[in-house]
Amino acid sequence: MSKHAKYIEDSWGDLVGCTITKVRAMTPSEMSESLWYEGGGSIPIVIELNDGRVLIPSSDPEGNMPGHIFVEGADDV
């Protein structure tokens, strides 16, 4: 296993099997906790999982500003 594959598996492998239960905009208090602000160009989103965890797309590992997720495939969706 490559070091990148191991890093990904170690960091996010336990997400396999989780179910997305909700996708929503960040609340003002969540934005404040992240030190993000409205009007930065990106819409901060929260992806809620069935086990109570949330996924928050970020532009970088330091969490400097909201990020984007590309959704591709499944042409019949």
Side-chain angles (χ1 to χ4, degrees):
M1 177 183 288
S2 75
K3 72 176 185 175
H4 296 300
K6 180 166 178 22
Y7 170 73
I8 290 168
E9 177 63 30
D10 291 348
S11 298
W12 299 289
D14 65 339
L15 292 173
V16 173
C18 289
T19 303
I20 295 172
T21 58
K22 188 176 186 178
V23 178
R24 61 176 176 79
M26 275 189 140
T27 64
S29 63
E30 288 170 328
M31 287 180 63
S32 178
E33 288 172 17
S34 298
L35 302 176
W36 293 346
Y37 60 92
E38 285 192 56
S42 294
I43 301 169
I45 65 168
V46 175
I47 301 166
E48 297 183 5
L49 302 177
N50 62 317
D51 64 0
R53 291 183 292 174
V54 297
L55 306 177
I56 300 172
S58 174
S59 65
D60 57 34
E62 289 80 25
N64 287 314
M65 54 194 242
H68 184 81
I69 296 176
F70 293 95
V71 179
E72 300 180 12
D75 294 329
D76 56 350
V77 173

